[in-house]
Amino acid sequence: MYSFKNDYSEGAHPRILNALLESNFEQNEGYGEDHYSIKAIELLKEEIESKDIDIHFLVGGTQTNLTVISAFLRPHEAVISADTGHILVHETGAIEATGHKVISVEVEDGKLRVEHVKNVLEMHTDEHMVKPKLVYISNSTEIGSIYKKQELEELSGFCKENNLILYIDGARLGSALCSEENDLKMSDLARLADAFYIGGTKNGALLGEALVICKEALKEDFRFHIKQKGAMLAKGKLLGIQFLELFRDKLYFDLASHANKLATLLINEIETMGYKFLVHSPSNQVFPILPNKVIEKLQEKYSFYMWSKVDDENSSIRLVTSWATKEDAVKAFIEDLKSLTI
Amino acid sequence: MYSFKNDYSEGAHPRILNALLESNFEQNEGYGEDHYSIKAIELLKEEIESKDIDIHFLVGGTQTNLTVISAFLRPHEAVISADTGHILVHETGAIEATGHKVISVEVEDGKLRVEHVKNVLEMHTDEHMVKPKLVYISNSTEIGSIYKKQELEELSGFCKENNLILYIDGARLGSALCSEENDLKMSDLARLADAFYIGGTKNGALLGEALVICKEALKEDFRFHIKQKGAMLAKGKLLGIQFLELFRDKLYFDLASHANKLATLLINEIETMGYKFLVHSPSNQVFPILPNKVIEKLQEKYSFYMWSKVDDENSSIRLVTSWATKEDAVKAFIEDLKSLTI
Amino acid sequence: MYSFKNDYSEGAHPRILNALLESNFEQNEGYGEDHYSIKAIELLKEEIESKDIDIHFLVGGTQTNLTVISAFLRPHEAVISADTGHILVHETGAIEATGHKVISVEVEDGKLRVEHVKNVLEMHTDEHMVKPKLVYISNSTEIGSIYKKQELEELSGFCKENNLILYIDGARLGSALCSEENDLKMSDLARLADAFYIGGTKNGALLGEALVICKEALKEDFRFHIKQKGAMLAKGKLLGIQFLELFRDKLYFDLASHANKLATLLINEIETMGYKFLVHSPSNQVFPILPNKVIEKLQEKYSFYMWSKVDDENSSIRLVTSWATKEDAVKAFIEDLKSLTI
Amino acid sequence: MYSFKNDYSEGAHPRILNALLESNFEQNEGYGEDHYSIKAIELLKEEIESKDIDIHFLVGGTQTNLTVISAFLRPHEAVISADTGHILVHETGAIEATGHKVISVEVEDGKLRVEHVKNVLEMHTDEHMVKPKLVYISNSTEIGSIYKKQELEELSGFCKENNLILYIDGARLGSALCSEENDLKMSDLARLADAFYIGGTKNGALLGEALVICKEALKEDFRFHIKQKGAMLAKGKLLGIQFLELFRDKLYFDLASHANKLATLLINEIETMGYKFLVHSPSNQVFPILPNKVIEKLQEKYSFYMWSKVDDENSSIRLVTSWATKEDAVKAFIEDLKSLTI
């Protein structure tokens, strides 16, 4: 049984484990004040081509989202999210648990655009309603689509004009930035967003996300929030070492490219067989629409998520590739699908 | 510069890193539903000699405390803690951030006793005040003292009579249970407490705490709380593998005993030199009172926390030993102190 | 300028003010433990025909909703509400501020039905999502529709089967129960709902809502929550006296009937003129669809809310009648509308 | 049985009830946007001699405190309060329920001074602890003492230097400002505090507190917070009318002076009989120390709070006078005490 269920089935890239081994008996400062974390932050600043940013390492995505949003907003302020947004659907109300409403916007392709945000602002006019303040987007989105530079420029411009915070959930940022269709750079993100995070867990790390705070006013006292939300590791070097390894020679991008390459292979071959897809997703998540009978057969050898019912005889499934996905496994899957298709 | 600052300066015990390496490319279920985590839970149940308990792995101590307390209490219920309690002082208001007051009780030796809890109950009489509901203790305490079986029996009995929840913070439970003065077993904890956690981070793990919920009524839906507080790892096997390694042949206790042995060595030798201690601490934290001049000299070669001013010429310091502390380093410290003492 | 904007433009029914005057210099216990409040609770229990209920007086609707929901739910539990629900739209995120997600369900007529709730349950399947637990409905709804007995029986049955709490916001309960189409009694509410409140502010009181808790398990310690949320009045008799007056001889129902009678008059006359309505609303809120030009003219003499755009030339407006609305004013409005219609 | 239990036993000053009657059938804007509230705010600005302040009317003290503190602080920031502080002891954890720790400082006379605040700052040094940010004081204090101008100047200066918010709970501000020992004016409060409230409930109103926000940065969006916390009355004019009446010709101060005069009478006469007091309290709360036997006899005719045990034979009691206290009742009490004393 080979799994295409997600991009966190395996452990970490071997270079990361080796780095942990090598530093293991060294005595270090706790709580992320070790020299590995400091070095990793420097490296990331170079990568992002900015010195005026603050970088913090947190353990996971939900934790990063709730810590960020809780730190950035006042009690009456709310978040705007696409209806597919991870914070809206799959974080057990983590944002609401910190006191903030998440306003859902129906979108087609997982992407929030200026008009969506504008509509929300127009509907929230006085103190009897929450005040929309933070725009939450994911890149790549939860359904694999990615933001183009032009789209992000527009959204960023609108947010700045309307005094809104733009925050990007980058759980799968690697895959987005390494997509063939991508035209964004790390430095664009720092210029256009007020904060974003660079996901490690889903791109080769054991765990860990690198939060980048770009807007000056949002930086103050952030370590207090990390600690308060239980997101500060005693052995903080565990995170620093991983990001150091991922970014010292572009390993992060190599891993994402590998995942994307195999996703593209899946897309191309499945398309050739005549199948359609639920959504255009030029990253490491693929959503083919297949006959239920074919899906049942595939499930005997592969695990993946059933995504949605399309009609009585067809459903979409989600196939995820990762840094660790074997090309042979992908090819075997394709062959099996071919044989079921004829 | 050798560090006695804490028990999380180094990485993890090598066996743990090896176990991570060996399992690295295996595909596993996410979110703690992998077979390592399941196996580790079985093992811990054997260790604790109980089947009627629920066990969950969380990342860190503050996170465990806030997730537990937030899950167990209704909004008007409060926590009772010794004034040295970690949640009261060193967690950036994490408990209050989930909505609950922590009532501080002045104690001498870090230990909460029946009379303390009784006093708090007597002062809280009506709906204009919070309702004290959860008794928080640490074993070993934040200043190294440990609970004896008799003390815990009394506290547990009083809590049961008064419908209070007894919760034990076991960040340093290994050291407590391996203390020469200890007479408690894991199974006693499960019998006497409603919940407790077995600390991994400070006893050989990279990170990770095993929460044990003993009281039936507190078990329901706990995984929702773990997820909501950002404490559920995508690669949950990272925690399961570590606890599996720590408990499959008593490594956990061996590591704690090592730390205690070196702490005892420090205590005995420092006592012999004629120095006193701030508190009796039969675990891996030692609080000698030394002349400020001596402390200054020691700081040239060793790092440790200044704990408290005793008088104009003397202060107490905190020395912490761990699973990774070198016996040679302890002996060198003793020799240096001796030479400064004469 | 006569106002049909809402049902809280005027003060209180004169009998209430007189009762306040008469009791003014009497010394009473504070915090709702005075004999007026106690008597009012007895009276309400008779009205509701139940002794097994707890009744508390709170100041306002938002406050009651947030106190109730925060008291009834555990942190991971969520509310299900129609998309017109007051808590969802017009309470500035008050529920989320206590930590709970409000799940919005699109409905046509303001009423939540079994199928809506069922869909929500089916979509929330594991601990990565909130756990839907409390069903929030309003009677009458925010757009004037009312629940029939059969509908409430079905909803209540489904909630009981699925261990959901059914809570009714009764800000305009008087108007609902006095509607010509109503077939519910107070005692039905107590039998079918787990809690509901009887709105005073919008039906003749200066301020005040009577919360009725029917389900045993939800009663414990409720006064702690009232106090904690700032909803406990020092001079609690202010609320008790008002409900005593409203219920000692059915004044409450007389006032609601008056409001409904005038609303019906508006509906009938406007219908006769050939206009349509946005929604069928047999209570004290009326939503006629009028030409924009007519609306502009009406606005010169009457104030009311613009509700929604219907097409380029027509909009719906909201007209609210209350215990204090003058029949002459309604008739004048009708005449003016007639003259604008020809 | 005459009650000296508190200053909220009776209703409202008759002039207030009359004003409510007179305005009763007038149609007004809701939510505090009526012309009475607007006029009352103007009047208060004159009284306070400042135009650069924002004024909001809220229903009660706990509600005002929790709304203010929750609006002013970020999640990691904490409150400093004397150990007698109302928010610390008698508000059922209302502040913690909004997420903030209240740091308790032991003081002798209910008053917080610079040294107390300084000590707290010195103990809170890094992100593992909360960040003390708001200094909460009450004037008069919960035990009847009052702040002198010099004391408030010092505290205010220290707060400004250390970027702390100074907030004054004025539940009994009338009594403090009308004390014979007082040297503060309303305008001093606005100059020295960042926010304070003028208590109505305990000085002649049915209910209502006037919150004054002086510091520019704290004003933004405050009405959102009032609404979110359930503190915005639909019939907001109920509060505006009362403050209009209280301040249009100094009624507020006349009422407080009356209460103080009778408290002074109690103090002088009780002192003459040779009794001591628990604390010096030149306002409307008096804490005589009396023999338990005498207290028992008094309880047959008067109700009041037992305050604290002084020794085996003596206790302190609390006697509170108010705008409604009858001079005859005070004299009768004195006579009764005299007869029990001989």
Side-chain angles (χ1 to χ4, degrees):
Chain A
M1 183 76 77
Y2 196 83
S3 172
F4 293 105
K5 275 183 81 172
N6 56 51
D7 29 19
Y8 41 86
S9 296
E10 290 88 359
H13 189 271
R15 265 179 47 192
I16 283 176
L17 291 180
N18 285 334
L20 288 177
L21 270 172
E22 277 167 28
S23 72
N24 192 46
F25 282 105
E26 208 184 288
Q27 288 191 317
N28 286 105
E29 286 297 307
Y31 304 114
E33 296 185 318
D34 62 282
H35 66 90
Y36 295 103
S37 299
I38 291 165
K39 187 82 204 315
I41 287 171
E42 280 169 26
L43 216 58
L44 280 167
K45 287 187 175 179
E46 282 171 33
E47 181 66 47
I48 299 167
E49 297 171 48
S50 170
K51 291 183 176 176
D52 295 333
I53 50 177
D54 276 7
I55 297 179
H56 304 276
F57 299 119
L58 287 94
V59 167
T62 296
Q63 193 188 68
T64 304
N65 289 336
L66 78 89
T67 305
V68 159
I69 290 174
S70 149
F72 288 180
L73 298 187
R74 295 181 64 202
H76 65 304
E77 295 175 339
V79 180
I80 306 174
S81 165
D83 55 358
T84 45
H86 201 260
I87 53 165
L88 196 73
V89 187
H90 282 105
E91 301 190 353
T92 319
I95 305 307
E96 290 87 353
T98 71
H100 302 282
K101 190 181 188 71
V102 185
I103 300 164
S104 174
V105 178
E106 220 179 306
V107 303
E108 270 190 32
D109 58 357
K111 293 200 275 181
L112 210 55
R113 289 180 177 80
V114 167
E115 65 192 79
H116 300 128
V117 179
K118 209 172 169 181
N119 284 344
V120 171
L121 292 193
E122 280 166 7
M123 281 164 24
H124 289 80
T125 53
D126 65 33
E127 69 265 20
H128 296 267
M129 287 167 268
V130 291
K131 184 173 180 177
K133 182 70 183 179
L134 184 144
V135 173
Y136 166 92
I137 62 172
S138 307
N139 195 29
S140 66
T141 71
E142 292 76 5
I143 53 173
S145 52
I146 68 167
Y147 282 84
K148 300 298 301 249
K149 195 177 192 170
Q150 179 63 19
E151 293 169 328
L152 207 58
E153 296 267 9
E154 285 167 15
L155 201 52
S156 173
F158 183 82
C159 287
K160 283 189 170 71
E161 279 163 32
N162 291 278
N163 203 18
L164 299 172
I165 297 166
L166 180 59
Y167 167 62
I168 305 174
D169 181 328
R172 292 189 176 97
L173 187 60
S175 179
L177 296 186
C178 294
S179 166
E180 286 181 6
E181 298 184 9
N182 174 63
D183 57 0
L184 282 164
K185 291 189 298 174
M186 280 278 189
S187 57
D188 292 322
L189 297 180
R191 181 174 53 85
L192 298 172
D194 295 307
F196 66 100
Y197 81 82
I198 304 167
T201 308
K202 289 170 178 163
N203 196 29
L206 274 176
L207 81 178
E209 325 293 322
L211 172 68
V212 181
I213 308 180
C214 314
K215 188 176 184 169
E216 197 57 37
L218 301 175
K219 293 175 185 170
E220 195 186 359
D221 289 344
F222 199 81
R223 279 177 61 84
F224 285 82
H225 300 277
I226 299 178
K227 177 70 187 179
Q228 188 187 69
K229 301 309 182 201
M232 188 176 281
L233 286 189
K235 296 178 178 172
K237 73 174 176 182
L238 171 58
L239 301 175
I241 287 169
Q242 293 186 86
F243 275 92
L244 195 52
E245 206 55 41
L246 285 169
F247 281 92
R248 73 174 162 82
D249 63 357
K250 310 276 180 193
L251 176 62
Y252 186 78
F253 301 104
D254 294 343
L255 296 181
S257 295
H258 171 84
N260 284 354
K261 198 188 70 176
L262 296 182
T264 304
L265 183 59
L266 279 169
I267 289 173
N268 291 344
E269 294 286 343
I270 293 172
E271 208 161 31
T272 304
M273 294 178 223
Y275 294 117
K276 299 227 171 303
F277 292 82
L278 192 72
V279 64
H280 177 65
S281 63
S283 62
N284 73 323
Q285 298 190 88
V286 175
F287 300 82
I289 298 169
L290 302 175
N292 294 337
K293 286 183 187 168
V294 170
I295 293 173
E296 268 171 48
K297 281 286 178 191
L298 287 172
Q299 283 172 326
E300 291 169 12
K301 293 175 67 177
Y302 304 96
S303 65
F304 46 80
Y305 275 104
M306 291 301 295
W307 196 255
S308 62
K309 181 182 167 175
V310 171
D311 57 38
D312 281 353
E313 290 172 15
N314 297 280
S315 301
S316 70
I317 64 170
R318 185 181 79 158
L319 303 173
V320 189
T321 57
S322 83
W323 67 275
T325 304
K326 309 274 189 224
E327 186 161 356
D328 285 353
V330 171
K331 286 183 173 165
F333 179 90
I334 290 166
E335 288 313 309
D336 283 328
L337 179 54
K338 272 186 191 159
S339 69
L340 289 166
T341 299
I342 299 154
Chain B
M1 182 78 75
Y2 197 84
S3 173
F4 293 105
K5 275 183 82 171
N6 56 51
D7 29 20
Y8 40 86
S9 297
E10 291 87 358
H13 189 271
R15 267 179 47 192
I16 284 178
L17 290 181
N18 284 332
L20 289 176
L21 270 172
E22 277 166 28
S23 72
N24 192 46
F25 280 104
E26 208 184 289
Q27 289 192 315
N28 287 105
E29 288 296 307
Y31 304 113
E33 296 185 318
D34 61 283
H35 66 90
Y36 297 103
S37 298
I38 291 164
K39 187 81 205 313
I41 287 170
E42 280 169 25
L43 217 59
L44 280 167
K45 287 186 175 179
E46 282 172 32
E47 180 68 46
I48 298 167
E49 297 170 49
S50 169
K51 292 184 176 177
D52 296 332
I53 50 176
D54 275 8
I55 296 179
H56 304 277
F57 298 120
L58 288 94
V59 166
T62 295
Q63 194 188 68
T64 305
N65 289 335
L66 78 88
T67 305
V68 159
I69 290 172
S70 150
F72 289 180
L73 297 188
R74 296 182 62 202
H76 64 303
E77 294 175 339
V79 180
I80 306 174
S81 165
D83 55 358
T84 45
H86 202 260
I87 54 166
L88 195 74
V89 188
H90 282 103
E91 300 189 354
T92 320
I95 305 308
E96 289 87 353
T98 70
H100 302 282
K101 191 182 186 72
V102 185
I103 300 164
S104 173
V105 178
E106 218 179 306
V107 302
E108 269 190 33
D109 57 358
K111 293 200 275 181
L112 210 55
R113 289 180 178 82
V114 167
E115 65 191 79
H116 300 128
V117 179
K118 208 172 170 181
N119 283 343
V120 171
L121 293 194
E122 281 167 5
M123 280 163 27
H124 289 81
T125 53
D126 65 33
E127 67 266 18
H128 295 267
M129 289 167 267
V130 292
K131 184 173 179 178
K133 182 71 182 178
L134 185 146
V135 173
Y136 167 92
I137 62 173
S138 308
N139 194 31
S140 65
T141 71
E142 292 77 5
I143 53 173
S145 52
I146 67 167
Y147 281 85
K148 300 300 299 249
K149 196 177 192 171
Q150 179 62 20
E151 292 168 329
L152 207 58
E153 296 268 10
E154 286 167 15
L155 201 52
S156 173
F158 184 81
C159 287
K160 283 189 171 70
E161 279 164 33
N162 291 277
N163 202 19
L164 299 172
I165 297 166
L166 180 59
Y167 168 61
I168 305 175
D169 181 329
R172 293 190 175 96
L173 187 61
S175 179
L177 296 186
C178 295
S179 166
E180 286 181 5
E181 297 184 8
N182 174 64
D183 56 2
L184 282 165
K185 291 189 298 174
M186 280 279 189
S187 57
D188 292 322
L189 297 180
R191 182 173 51 85
L192 299 172
D194 295 306
F196 66 100
Y197 82 82
I198 304 169
T201 308
K202 289 172 178 164
N203 196 30
L206 274 176
L207 81 178
E209 326 292 323
L211 173 67
V212 182
I213 307 181
C214 314
K215 188 176 184 169
E216 197 56 37
L218 302 176
K219 293 175 184 172
E220 195 185 359
D221 289 344
F222 200 80
R223 278 176 62 85
F224 285 81
H225 300 276
I226 298 178
K227 177 68 187 177
Q228 188 186 70
K229 301 309 180 199
M232 189 176 280
L233 286 189
K235 296 180 179 171
K237 73 174 176 183
L238 172 59
L239 302 175
I241 287 170
Q242 294 186 85
F243 275 92
L244 196 52
E245 206 54 41
L246 285 169
F247 281 93
R248 73 174 163 84
D249 62 357
K250 310 276 180 191
L251 177 62
Y252 187 77
F253 300 104
D254 293 344
L255 296 182
S257 294
H258 172 84
N260 284 353
K261 197 189 73 178
L262 296 183
T264 304
L265 182 60
L266 278 169
I267 289 173
N268 290 343
E269 292 288 342
I270 293 172
E271 207 162 30
T272 305
M273 294 179 223
Y275 294 116
K276 301 230 169 300
F277 293 82
L278 193 71
V279 62
H280 177 66
S281 62
S283 62
N284 74 323
Q285 299 189 90
V286 176
F287 299 83
I289 298 169
L290 302 174
N292 294 337
K293 287 183 186 167
V294 169
I295 293 171
E296 269 171 48
K297 280 287 177 189
L298 287 171
Q299 283 172 326
E300 290 170 12
K301 294 175 68 178
Y302 304 97
S303 66
F304 47 78
Y305 275 104
M306 291 300 295
W307 197 255
S308 62
K309 181 181 167 177
V310 171
D311 57 39
D312 281 352
E313 289 172 16
N314 298 280
S315 300
S316 69
I317 64 170
R318 184 181 81 158
L319 302 173
V320 188
T321 57
S322 84
W323 66 276
T325 305
K326 309 272 188 225
E327 186 160 355
D328 285 353
V330 171
K331 287 183 173 164
F333 179 90
I334 289 166
E335 288 313 308
D336 283 328
L337 179 54
K338 271 186 191 159
S339 70
L340 289 165
T341 299
I342 300 153
Chain C
M1 183 76 77
Y2 196 84
S3 172
F4 293 105
K5 275 183 81 170
N6 56 50
D7 30 19
Y8 41 86
S9 295
E10 292 86 358
H13 190 271
R15 264 178 49 191
I16 283 176
L17 291 181
N18 284 333
L20 288 176
L21 270 172
E22 276 167 28
S23 73
N24 192 47
F25 281 106
E26 209 185 288
Q27 290 192 317
N28 287 105
E29 287 296 308
Y31 303 113
E33 296 186 317
D34 62 282
H35 66 91
Y36 297 103
S37 298
I38 291 164
K39 187 80 203 316
I41 288 170
E42 280 170 24
L43 217 57
L44 281 167
K45 287 187 175 180
E46 282 171 32
E47 182 66 49
I48 299 167
E49 298 170 47
S50 170
K51 292 184 175 178
D52 294 334
I53 50 176
D54 276 8
I55 296 179
H56 303 277
F57 299 119
L58 287 93
V59 166
T62 296
Q63 193 189 68
T64 305
N65 289 336
L66 78 88
T67 305
V68 159
I69 291 173
S70 149
F72 288 0
L73 298 187
R74 296 181 63 201
H76 65 304
E77 295 175 339
V79 181
I80 306 174
S81 165
D83 55 0
T84 46
H86 202 260
I87 54 166
L88 196 72
V89 187
H90 283 104
E91 300 190 354
T92 320
I95 305 307
E96 289 88 353
T98 70
H100 302 283
K101 190 182 188 72
V102 185
I103 300 164
S104 174
V105 178
E106 218 178 307
V107 302
E108 270 190 32
D109 57 358
K111 293 200 276 180
L112 210 55
R113 289 181 177 81
V114 167
E115 66 191 78
H116 300 128
V117 179
K118 208 172 170 182
N119 284 344
V120 171
L121 293 194
E122 280 167 6
M123 281 164 25
H124 289 81
T125 52
D126 66 32
E127 69 265 18
H128 295 267
M129 287 167 268
V130 290
K131 184 173 180 177
K133 182 71 183 177
L134 184 144
V135 173
Y136 167 93
I137 62 172
S138 308
N139 195 30
S140 65
T141 71
E142 292 75 6
I143 53 174
S145 51
I146 67 167
Y147 282 84
K148 300 300 299 251
K149 196 176 191 171
Q150 179 63 20
E151 293 169 328
L152 208 58
E153 296 268 8
E154 286 167 15
L155 201 51
S156 173
F158 184 82
C159 286
K160 282 188 172 68
E161 279 164 31
N162 291 277
N163 202 19
L164 298 172
I165 297 166
L166 179 59
Y167 167 62
I168 304 174
D169 181 327
R172 292 189 175 97
L173 187 60
S175 179
L177 295 187
C178 295
S179 166
E180 286 181 6
E181 299 184 8
N182 175 63
D183 57 359
L184 282 165
K185 291 189 297 175
M186 281 279 189
S187 56
D188 292 322
L189 297 180
R191 181 174 53 86
L192 299 172
D194 295 307
F196 66 100
Y197 81 83
I198 303 168
T201 307
K202 289 171 178 164
N203 196 29
L206 275 176
L207 80 179
E209 325 292 323
L211 172 68
V212 182
I213 308 180
C214 314
K215 188 176 183 169
E216 196 56 37
L218 301 175
K219 293 176 184 171
E220 195 185 359
D221 289 344
F222 199 80
R223 280 177 61 84
F224 285 81
H225 299 276
I226 299 178
K227 176 70 187 178
Q228 187 186 70
K229 300 309 180 198
M232 189 175 281
L233 285 189
K235 296 179 179 173
K237 72 174 176 183
L238 170 59
L239 301 175
I241 287 169
Q242 295 186 85
F243 275 92
L244 195 52
E245 206 55 40
L246 286 169
F247 281 92
R248 73 176 163 83
D249 63 357
K250 309 276 180 191
L251 177 60
Y252 187 77
F253 300 104
D254 294 344
L255 297 181
S257 294
H258 171 84
N260 284 355
K261 197 189 71 177
L262 296 182
T264 304
L265 183 59
L266 279 169
I267 289 173
N268 291 343
E269 294 287 344
I270 293 172
E271 209 161 30
T272 305
M273 294 180 224
Y275 294 117
K276 300 228 171 302
F277 293 82
L278 193 72
V279 65
H280 176 65
S281 63
S283 62
N284 73 323
Q285 299 190 89
V286 176
F287 300 82
I289 298 169
L290 302 175
N292 295 337
K293 286 183 186 167
V294 170
I295 293 172
E296 269 170 50
K297 280 287 177 189
L298 287 171
Q299 284 172 327
E300 290 170 12
K301 293 174 68 177
Y302 305 96
S303 66
F304 46 79
Y305 275 104
M306 292 300 296
W307 196 256
S308 62
K309 180 182 169 175
V310 171
D311 57 38
D312 281 352
E313 289 172 16
N314 298 279
S315 301
S316 69
I317 64 169
R318 185 182 78 159
L319 302 173
V320 188
T321 57
S322 83
W323 66 276
T325 305
K326 308 275 188 224
E327 187 160 355
D328 285 353
V330 171
K331 287 183 173 163
F333 179 89
I334 290 166
E335 288 313 309
D336 283 330
L337 180 54
K338 273 186 190 159
S339 70
L340 290 165
T341 300
I342 301 155
Chain D
M1 181 77 76
Y2 197 84
S3 172
F4 293 105
K5 274 182 83 171
N6 56 51
D7 28 20
Y8 41 85
S9 297
E10 291 87 358
H13 190 271
R15 267 178 48 192
I16 284 177
L17 290 182
N18 285 333
L20 288 176
L21 270 172
E22 277 166 29
S23 72
N24 192 45
F25 281 104
E26 208 184 287
Q27 289 192 315
N28 286 106
E29 288 295 307
Y31 303 113
E33 295 184 320
D34 62 282
H35 66 89
Y36 298 103
S37 298
I38 291 165
K39 187 82 205 313
I41 287 170
E42 280 170 25
L43 217 58
L44 280 167
K45 287 187 176 180
E46 281 172 33
E47 181 68 46
I48 298 167
E49 299 169 48
S50 169
K51 292 183 176 177
D52 295 335
I53 50 177
D54 276 8
I55 296 180
H56 304 276
F57 298 119
L58 287 94
V59 166
T62 296
Q63 194 187 67
T64 305
N65 289 335
L66 77 89
T67 306
V68 159
I69 290 172
S70 149
F72 288 0
L73 298 187
R74 296 182 63 202
H76 65 302
E77 294 175 340
V79 180
I80 306 174
S81 165
D83 55 359
T84 46
H86 202 259
I87 53 165
L88 195 73
V89 186
H90 282 105
E91 301 189 354
T92 320
I95 305 308
E96 290 87 354
T98 70
H100 302 282
K101 190 183 186 73
V102 185
I103 300 163
S104 173
V105 178
E106 219 179 306
V107 302
E108 270 190 31
D109 57 358
K111 294 200 275 182
L112 211 54
R113 290 182 176 80
V114 167
E115 65 190 79
H116 301 127
V117 179
K118 207 171 172 181
N119 283 344
V120 171
L121 293 193
E122 281 167 6
M123 280 164 26
H124 289 80
T125 52
D126 65 33
E127 68 265 18
H128 296 268
M129 288 167 267
V130 291
K131 185 173 177 176
K133 182 70 183 178
L134 184 144
V135 173
Y136 167 92
I137 62 172
S138 308
N139 194 30
S140 65
T141 71
E142 293 75 6
I143 53 173
S145 52
I146 67 167
Y147 281 84
K148 301 298 301 249
K149 197 177 193 170
Q150 179 62 20
E151 292 168 329
L152 207 58
E153 296 268 9
E154 286 167 15
L155 201 52
S156 173
F158 184 81
C159 286
K160 284 189 170 69
E161 279 163 33
N162 291 278
N163 202 19
L164 299 172
I165 297 167
L166 180 59
Y167 168 62
I168 305 175
D169 181 328
R172 293 190 175 96
L173 187 60
S175 178
L177 296 186
C178 294
S179 166
E180 286 181 8
E181 299 185 8
N182 174 64
D183 56 1
L184 282 164
K185 290 189 299 175
M186 280 279 189
S187 57
D188 291 323
L189 297 180
R191 181 173 53 85
L192 299 172
D194 296 305
F196 65 101
Y197 82 82
I198 304 169
T201 307
K202 289 171 178 164
N203 196 30
L206 274 176
L207 80 179
E209 327 292 323
L211 173 67
V212 182
I213 308 181
C214 314
K215 188 176 184 169
E216 198 56 38
L218 302 175
K219 293 175 185 172
E220 196 187 357
D221 289 344
F222 200 80
R223 278 177 61 84
F224 285 81
H225 300 276
I226 298 178
K227 177 69 187 178
Q228 188 186 69
K229 301 308 181 199
M232 188 176 281
L233 287 189
K235 297 180 178 172
K237 73 174 176 184
L238 171 58
L239 301 175
I241 287 171
Q242 294 186 86
F243 275 92
L244 196 51
E245 206 55 41
L246 286 170
F247 281 92
R248 73 173 162 83
D249 63 356
K250 310 275 179 193
L251 178 61
Y252 187 77
F253 300 104
D254 293 345
L255 297 181
S257 294
H258 172 84
N260 283 355
K261 196 188 74 177
L262 296 183
T264 304
L265 183 59
L266 279 169
I267 289 174
N268 290 343
E269 294 287 344
I270 293 172
E271 207 161 32
T272 305
M273 295 178 222
Y275 294 117
K276 300 227 170 303
F277 294 81
L278 193 71
V279 64
H280 177 66
S281 63
S283 62
N284 73 323
Q285 299 189 88
V286 176
F287 299 83
I289 298 169
L290 302 174
N292 294 337
K293 286 182 186 169
V294 169
I295 293 172
E296 269 172 49
K297 281 287 178 188
L298 287 171
Q299 283 172 326
E300 290 170 13
K301 292 174 69 178
Y302 304 95
S303 66
F304 47 78
Y305 275 103
M306 292 300 296
W307 196 255
S308 62
K309 181 181 167 176
V310 171
D311 57 39
D312 281 352
E313 290 172 15
N314 298 279
S315 300
S316 68
I317 64 171
R318 185 181 81 157
L319 303 172
V320 188
T321 57
S322 84
W323 66 276
T325 305
K326 308 274 187 226
E327 185 160 357
D328 285 353
V330 171
K331 286 182 174 167
F333 179 89
I334 289 166
E335 288 313 308
D336 283 329
L337 180 54
K338 271 187 190 160
S339 71
L340 289 165
T341 299
I342 299 156

